[in-house]
Amino acid sequence: MNTLFRNGLMMLAAGAFAASCADYNETNNFYAEPDPAYVEPYKDLAPVKSYIDRAKYPNMTLGATLKVADFNRQELAHAAVVNNCDNVSFGTTLMSGAIVNEKGVMNFLSMSDLLAHVEEIGYDVYGSPIVANANQADAWLQTLTAPIEIQVDAIEDKFVDYTTMESFSGSSNGTKPVIEKKFDGDDNALKIPKSRKGWVNIVEDFDIDSLGKYTITFYAQITKGESESIICTFADNKIMENEDNPKKFTIKSGGWKKIVLEDIKAASGAQEGYVKLEGNANYDIYIKSVKVVHNPDNHRPQTEKEKSDTIQYALNEWCDGLMKINAGRIQLFDLIDEPIDSKAVLENGMYDLKHSTTSIYWQDILGSENYAPVVSKVASSAYEKYSGDPAKLKFFISETGLEDQNKFESLMYWIKIWDNKSAKIDGINAKVSLVYSEDATTQAANKATVDKLLENLASTGKLIRISNFDIKYQNADGASVSADKITAEQRQNLADYYAYVIKSYMSKIPNEKQAGICKGNLADTNDPVGLWAVDVKSKDWVRTATYKAFCDALSGK
């Protein structure tokens, strides 16, 4: 048996793709047999996009979301979207977080492949968000805005000279250190008697710089034996040889030996500075002097002006790289993704933009009111620089949860501010999260919410796109019904609701303001959201009632 997609493989033939479920198993007279798509009652339906009345709805499009890797494989999902939809979007997989590494190196290889392919087949792509809060190249932005290295001078924290000291007043335990008079000529010294468990702080009571790197220098001597070993701890940080073993510092016989602890940091949370010696189980040790010096952290935070310039540089670099590889081929983009914070309320009752104290958010540095104006200007300039037709370029603000009236009004509040500052904002991309309920009262409320959302969106005068258009199914008790459990009757209920939403969009959004509907998933996931169900055994895609509902609704039936 010749199989074209039995194992999920879709073949290319003479650059043509055949993929409406009734014909996507056919390329140049090469068929998959048997074909589960040819199942009544949907076998005779044409590709979904062909049902749109282009004369009546000239701007109406149908899109779907795929991962770049799935599209570039040019297999089943690719064939389904190309033949049944007008355009494809790639969600987060074309955002800077997936393309730019922490050093600012931009990897556009996958994007280059897909753009070459869509240009070859004459297909359209809806651009991923140019900037956002999530899925950004945060590591790169953190690197760019990191504190600046500066020249600093070493600071002497404490010097203890035991040669002139008459008595020892430092901390110890398990041993009794004393001042040995005239140990070395007229010079005294600190004597630390041998002890298996005892310890002595040879210097203490100095302040700690948690970011500083310390150098401790002391002179030690033994008068018996060939050598002795000691273990040192600085400000709760035991000096280690490796992960499991402390480092042993050796004092050999024959006069004073210089011991240096270099590039040592205090332990996290340490409150007091000290150097502790322990471990001289065999011989007494004598200490002449101890000096503690540290190099302060040689970095300073960037000024607001420096950060602003840095982020402007990053924005310019990102937009330049993106639009260079694009070369005018993608013409519709989300400019900003999900800017509204519904948990932060301004004095006027509107929701604020999202802000962060841990990540780099563009708006925190560019300024909330300048956010969209600056980004749209930079992105537009880069688009035109690389052969883009400015008349075809459209920017959208994408947002979730616009069914919430206050969130919708808050988004419009910010868009008005940005419009007044000459931002280029052509449309709104409303990401929906819809549910069909078997409970009649709940479902009536669901429909009313959708209608109100569309009426609100229509009132903006902007282009309107609906994305993430998947509808989940709940029974009368509010429990989700999975794709493998849904009945034919339930599937039809779901299909009817899909049709209702599509018709509501096409009737409530003015024809000239329709920017289309984008399906979240073409095939079922765990939820029965697809135009196709997925055969459990063969993994083939089989048309569902939702496929027909899309065809009927888009045709105006």
Side-chain angles (χ1 to χ4, degrees), residues 220-372:
Q221 184 177 151
I222 57 174
T223 57
K224 296 180 180 180
E226 294 184 357
S227 66
E228 178 63 290
S229 296
I230 55 173
I231 296 169
C232 299
T233 299
F234 171 71
D236 300 347
N237 178 21
K238 181 173 285 189
I239 313 304
M240 302 296 287
E241 185 71 38
N242 51 49
E243 185 176 344
D244 299 317
N245 300 300
K247 183 174 183 178
K248 294 183 177 181
F249 295 86
T250 300
I251 304 170
K252 294 183 178 181
S253 61
W256 294 110
K257 304 301 178 186
K258 183 179 180 180
I259 308 294
V260 181
L261 316 180
E262 291 186 287
D263 288 337
I264 306 300
K265 298 192 74 172
S268 177
Q271 300 296 314
E272 297 180 1
Y274 65 87
V275 177
K276 178 194 295 182
L277 266 56
E278 57 187 317
N280 59 316
N282 302 306
Y283 304 106
D284 298 343
I285 294 175
Y286 297 86
I287 304 297
K288 180 180 181 180
S289 62
V290 186
K291 183 166 73 171
V292 179
V293 175
H294 85 276
N295 290 308
D297 178 36
N298 61 336
H299 296 83
R300 64 161 177 80
Q302 292 187 27
T303 65
E304 293 303 313
K305 177 66 165 57
E306 288 169 338
K307 274 192 176 182
S308 178
D309 290 346
T310 298
I311 286 299
Q312 187 73 54
Y313 160 81
L315 182 62
N316 291 341
E317 287 294 296
W318 163 238
C319 289
D320 191 80
L322 176 66
M323 295 307 181
K324 182 177 182 179
I325 202 74
N326 178 48
R329 289 173 288 193
I330 301 175
Q331 298 167 348
L332 277 66
F333 290 87
D334 280 342
L335 180 71
I336 296 173
D337 185 45
E338 300 182 19
I340 303 299
D341 184 353
S342 57
K343 295 180 181 179
V345 182
L346 300 171
E347 291 183 358
N348 61 5
M350 296 293 102
Y351 294 143
D352 196 2
L353 301 185
K354 293 174 180 173
H355 299 282
S356 176
T357 57
T358 56
S359 297
I360 302 299
Y361 283 5
W362 302 95
Q363 62 271 29
D364 287 340
I365 296 174
L366 298 175
S368 296
E369 295 190 0
N370 293 322
Y371 184 23

Side-chain angles (χ1 to χ4, degrees), residues 446-519:
N446 289 343
K447 286 185 175 181
T449 297
V450 167
D451 288 340
K452 180 62 176 175
L453 168 64
L454 293 171
E455 290 166 2
N456 281 340
L457 292 170
S459 72
T460 67
K462 301 285 188 182
L463 294 171
I464 301 301
R465 182 176 188 262
I466 301 297
S467 63
N468 194 39
F469 185 41
D470 288 347
I471 304 178
K472 297 181 180 180
Y473 195 101
Q474 291 181 352
N475 63 22
D477 296 324
S480 295
V481 177
S482 61
D484 60 339
K485 302 296 183 187
I486 196 167
T487 66
E489 180 182 0
Q490 289 172 323
R491 179 77 78 169
Q492 187 60 56
N493 292 338
L494 186 60
D496 291 343
Y497 190 36
Y498 269 111
Y500 177 87
V501 176
I502 294 170
K503 291 177 181 179
S504 186
Y505 172 87
M506 296 176 74
S507 64
K508 294 182 184 300
I509 305 300
N511 292 3
E512 69 276 9
K513 298 300 181 182
Q514 293 176 5
I517 293 174
C518 182
K519 193 75 177 66

